[in-house]
Coordinates of all heavy atoms in Angstrom, one line a residue:
H1 N 10.1 -5.0 -4.5 CA 11.0 -6.1 -4.6 C 10.4 -7.3 -5.4 O 9.2 -7.5 -5.4 CB 11.3 -6.6 -3.2 CG 12.5 -7.5 -3.1 ND1 12.4 -8.9 -3.2 CD2 13.8 -7.2 -2.9 CE1 13.6 -9.4 -3.0 NE2 14.4 -8.5 -2.9
P2 N 11.2 -8.0 -6.2 CA 10.7 -9.1 -7.0 C 10.0 -10.2 -6.2 O 9.2 -10.9 -6.8 CB 12.0 -9.6 -7.7 CG 12.9 -8.5 -7.7 CD 12.7 -7.7 -6.5
S3 N 10.3 -10.3 -4.9 CA 9.6 -11.3 -4.1 C 8.2 -10.9 -3.8 O 7.4 -11.8 -3.2 CB 10.4 -11.5 -2.8 OG 10.4 -10.4 -2.0
L4 N 7.8 -9.7 -4.0 CA 6.4 -9.2 -3.7 C 5.6 -9.1 -5.0 O 6.1 -8.8 -6.1 CB 6.5 -7.9 -3.1 CG 7.1 -7.8 -1.7 CD1 7.2 -6.3 -1.3 CD2 6.3 -8.6 -0.7
T5 N 4.3 -9.4 -4.9 CA 3.4 -9.1 -6.0 C 3.3 -7.5 -6.2 O 3.6 -6.8 -5.2 CB 2.0 -9.6 -5.8 OG1 1.4 -8.9 -4.6 CG2 2.0 -11.1 -5.5
P6 N 3.0 -7.0 -7.4 CA 2.9 -5.6 -7.5 C 2.0 -4.9 -6.5 O 2.3 -3.9 -5.9 CB 2.4 -5.4 -9.0 CG 3.0 -6.6 -9.7 CD 2.9 -7.7 -8.6
A7 N 0.8 -5.5 -6.3 CA -0.1 -4.9 -5.3 C 0.4 -4.9 -3.9 O 0.3 -3.9 -3.2 CB -1.4 -5.8 -5.3
S8 N 1.1 -5.9 -3.5 CA 1.7 -5.9 -2.2 C 2.9 -4.9 -2.1 O 3.0 -4.2 -1.1 CB 2.2 -7.3 -1.8 OG 1.2 -8.2 -1.7
A9 N 3.7 -4.8 -3.1 CA 4.8 -3.9 -3.1 C 4.3 -2.5 -3.0 O 4.8 -1.6 -2.3 CB 5.6 -4.1 -4.4
V10 N 3.2 -2.1 -3.8 CA 2.6 -0.8 -3.7 C 2.1 -0.5 -2.3 O 2.4 0.6 -1.7 CB 1.5 -0.6 -4.7 CG1 0.7 0.7 -4.5 CG2 2.1 -0.7 -6.1
A11 N 1.4 -1.4 -1.7 CA 0.8 -1.2 -0.4 C 1.9 -1.0 0.6 O 1.8 -0.1 1.5 CB -0.1 -2.4 0.0
L12 N 3.0 -1.8 0.6 CA 4.1 -1.7 1.6 C 4.8 -0.4 1.4 O 5.1 0.3 2.4 CB 5.1 -2.9 1.3 CG 6.3 -2.8 2.2 CD1 5.9 -3.0 3.7 CD2 7.3 -3.9 1.8
T13 N 5.0 0.0 0.2 CA 5.7 1.3 0.0 C 4.9 2.5 0.4 O 5.4 3.4 1.1 CB 6.1 1.5 -1.5 OG1 6.6 0.3 -2.0 CG2 7.1 2.6 -1.7
L14 N 3.6 2.5 0.1 CA 2.7 3.6 0.6 C 2.7 3.7 2.1 O 2.7 4.8 2.6 CB 1.3 3.3 0.0 CG 1.1 3.5 -1.5 CD1 -0.3 3.0 -1.9 CD2 1.3 4.9 -1.9
R15 N 2.7 2.5 2.8 CA 2.6 2.6 4.2 C 4.0 2.9 4.8 O 4.1 3.8 5.8 CB 2.2 1.2 4.7 CG 2.0 1.1 6.2 CD 0.8 1.9 6.7 NE 0.8 1.9 8.1 CZ 1.3 2.9 8.9 NH1 1.9 3.9 8.3 NH2 1.1 2.9 10.2
A16 N 5.1 2.3 4.4 CA 6.4 2.4 5.0 C 7.1 3.7 4.6 O 7.8 4.3 5.4 CB 7.2 1.2 4.7
V17 N 7.0 4.1 3.3 CA 7.8 5.2 2.8 C 6.9 6.4 2.5 O 7.3 7.5 2.7 CB 8.6 4.8 1.6 CG1 9.6 5.9 1.1 CG2 9.4 3.5 1.8
G18 N 5.8 6.1 1.9 CA 4.9 7.2 1.5 C 4.2 7.9 2.6 O 3.7 9.0 2.4
G19 N 4.1 7.2 3.8 CA 3.5 7.9 4.9 C 2.0 7.8 5.0 O 1.4 8.5 5.8
L20 N 1.3 7.0 4.1 CA -0.1 6.9 4.2 C -0.6 5.9 5.2 O 0.2 5.0 5.6 CB -0.7 6.5 2.8 CG -0.9 7.6 1.8 CD1 0.4 8.3 1.4 CD2 -1.6 7.0 0.5
T21 N -1.8 6.2 5.7 CA -2.3 5.2 6.7 C -2.9 4.0 6.0 O -3.2 4.1 4.8 CB -3.4 5.9 7.6 OG1 -4.5 6.2 6.7 CG2 -2.9 7.1 8.2
T22 N -3.1 2.9 6.7 CA -3.8 1.8 6.1 C -5.1 2.1 5.6 O -5.5 1.6 4.5 CB -3.9 0.6 7.2 OG1 -2.5 0.3 7.7 CG2 -4.5 -0.6 6.6
R23 N -5.9 3.0 6.3 CA -7.2 3.3 5.8 C -7.1 4.1 4.5 O -7.9 3.8 3.6 CB -7.9 4.2 6.9 CG -9.2 4.8 6.4 CD -9.9 5.5 7.6 NE -10.2 4.6 8.7 CZ -10.7 5.0 9.8 NH1 -11.1 6.3 10.0 NH2 -11.0 4.2 10.8
Q24 N -6.2 5.0 4.3 CA -6.0 5.7 3.1 C -5.7 4.8 1.9 O -6.2 5.0 0.8 CB -5.0 6.8 3.3 CG -5.4 8.0 4.2 CD -4.2 8.9 4.6 OE1 -3.1 8.4 4.6 NE2 -4.5 10.1 4.8
I25 N -4.8 3.9 2.2 CA -4.4 2.9 1.1 C -5.6 2.0 0.8 O -5.8 1.8 -0.4 CB -3.2 2.1 1.6 CG1 -2.0 2.9 2.0 CG2 -2.8 1.1 0.5 CD1 -0.9 2.2 2.7
A26 N -6.3 1.6 1.7 CA -7.5 0.7 1.5 C -8.5 1.5 0.6 O -9.1 0.9 -0.3 CB -8.1 0.3 2.8
R27 N -8.7 2.8 0.9 CA -9.6 3.6 0.1 C -9.2 3.7 -1.3 O -10.0 3.6 -2.2 CB -9.8 4.9 0.8 CG -10.9 5.8 0.2 CD -11.2 7.0 1.0 NE -10.1 8.0 0.8 CZ -9.5 8.6 1.8 NH1 -9.9 8.4 3.1 NH2 -8.5 9.5 1.6
A28 N -7.9 3.9 -1.5 CA -7.4 4.0 -2.9 C -7.6 2.7 -3.7 O -7.8 2.8 -4.9 CB -5.9 4.4 -2.8
Y29 N -7.5 1.6 -3.0 CA -7.7 0.3 -3.7 C -9.1 -0.2 -3.6 O -9.4 -1.3 -4.2 CB -6.8 -0.8 -3.0 CG -5.4 -0.8 -3.6 CD1 -4.4 -0.1 -3.1 CD2 -5.1 -1.6 -4.7 CE1 -3.1 -0.1 -3.7 CE2 -3.9 -1.7 -5.3 CZ -2.9 -0.9 -4.8 OH -1.6 -1.0 -5.3
L30 N -10.0 0.5 -3.0 CA -11.4 0.1 -3.0 C -11.6 -1.2 -2.2 O -12.4 -2.1 -2.7 CB -12.1 0.1 -4.4 CG -11.9 1.3 -5.3 CD1 -12.6 1.0 -6.6 CD2 -12.4 2.5 -4.6
V31 N -10.9 -1.4 -1.2 CA -11.0 -2.7 -0.4 C -11.2 -2.3 1.1 O -10.8 -1.2 1.5 CB -9.8 -3.6 -0.5 CG1 -9.6 -4.0 -2.0 CG2 -8.5 -2.9 0.0

């Protein structure tokens, strides 16, 4: 969504729609 930064949009989609856990997303972003 335009109201989100690209990084936040990616994280939200991965968690809510992609089915990834927060830990998996964090590992992909190196944070």
Side-chain angles (χ1 to χ4, degrees):
H1 195 267
S3 64
L4 295 172
T5 65
S8 294
V10 170
L12 177 63
T13 314
L14 290 171
R15 182 70 186 92
V17 187
L20 273 64
T21 65
T22 303
R23 177 175 296 179
Q24 290 167 330
I25 302 168
R27 190 172 69 226
Y29 271 92
L30 309 181
V31 299

